[in-house]
Amino acid sequence: MTLLPKLQQIPAEIACVADYESFARERMTPSAWAYLAGGAADESTLADNLAAFRRIRLQNRVLEDLRGGHTRLDLCGLALDYPILLAPVAFQRLAHPEGELATALGASAMGAAMVVSTQASVSLEAIAQAAQAPLWFQLYIQPDRDFTQDLVRRAEAAGYRALVVTVDAPVNGLRNREQRSGFALPDGVEAVNLKGMRGLPPSIAQPGSSPLFGSPLLEHAPTWKDLEWLQSITHLPVLVKGVMNPKDASRAVERGVAGILVSNHGGRTLDGLPATLDVLPAIARAVQGRVPLLLDGGIRRGSDVFKALALGASAVMIGRPYVFGLAAAGATGVAHVLHLLRTELEVTMALTGCPTLDAIEASLILGSS
């Protein structure tokens, strides 16, 4: 099929982040779209991530003094201009030939921190050389622990500022949309940072036998002990990504993590999980401000960022929105998505009487105390 060329300038029809979706889809192969846009199973969690923000209503405030307003914050050693980071997304060359390099350029133009995926389609060192904004490295603890340690050393040497350990995907979710599309990585797109890693022996379930339990994959799945091991081998702050249960959040804090990312993997692992926004307040109560909380999943408006902050998050990460911008218009699209969300956040703050992020509180959510 013939794909439309990337946009050379942003048309007037793109007035908000959601407008990028159709432009992106026309510029990606159907299988790449299925991979980057799809979710697990019936995609109910994917849909609920979006719906949760729509269910929330705001309370406005009037005649507040907004002089000196700003959106600055300190987050795990980073001084950020606004509380929106780019979440780790694998294989970004599926969306644009320059992949993560274009994303890094767009993030740098907007001063936004970027979290680079273990499964990036560009080397972590090349991304670090291209970026002019802070970088964190998202890490899957691999069955090959020696290789995992080497990845950590590479991230440290390249100047990454923190490790974000994904803990909610010991196995891939059942992504039926991908299966139906026949998704396979095209030539020239691969997880370049994992080259040379020792793989697990192949495991093919026989009829009548367990397809998963007892397999090498689960036998080598990371545990809390592996998190402690990771913390012991690095000087970087370690955050955990994929926490949806307050008990796990408390346990992570007790083990000295630097931050927690409330995430259901964008609805890509276990379908039927609640929306991240719906579990955020309970996790915030469990954590009690001891470490920063971040949230991803379903954010499409700056007002969504505001809602997450009001319910306990320190900052948010976005995934699909900037990937859609990348697919449509490369680095310019990534930068524009960030600009749109920051602008909408500031408008929401002004209309709710909040000159700074510290003023955003639960009382500005209708029905909250």
Side-chain angles (χ1 to χ4, degrees), residues 123-148:
S123 76
L124 65 91
E125 290 86 359
I127 298 167
Q129 291 173 1
Q132 301 297 316
L135 297 176
W136 289 352
F137 185 67
Q138 177 267 335
L139 181 71
Y140 288 104
I141 298 177
Q142 303 293 332
D144 186 341
R145 300 298 195 257
D146 290 338
F147 191 91
T148 301

Side-chain angles (χ1 to χ4, degrees), residues 137 139-157 163 197 229-230 232-234:
F137 185 67
L139 181 71
Y140 288 104
I141 298 177
Q142 303 293 332
D144 186 341
R145 300 298 195 257
D146 290 338
F147 191 91
T148 301
Q149 182 165 332
D150 289 342
L151 269 179
V152 171
R153 295 288 173 261
R154 288 173 59 190
E156 291 172 340
L163 299 176
M197 181 179 68
W229 164 77
L230 178 65
S232 75
I233 66 166
T234 183

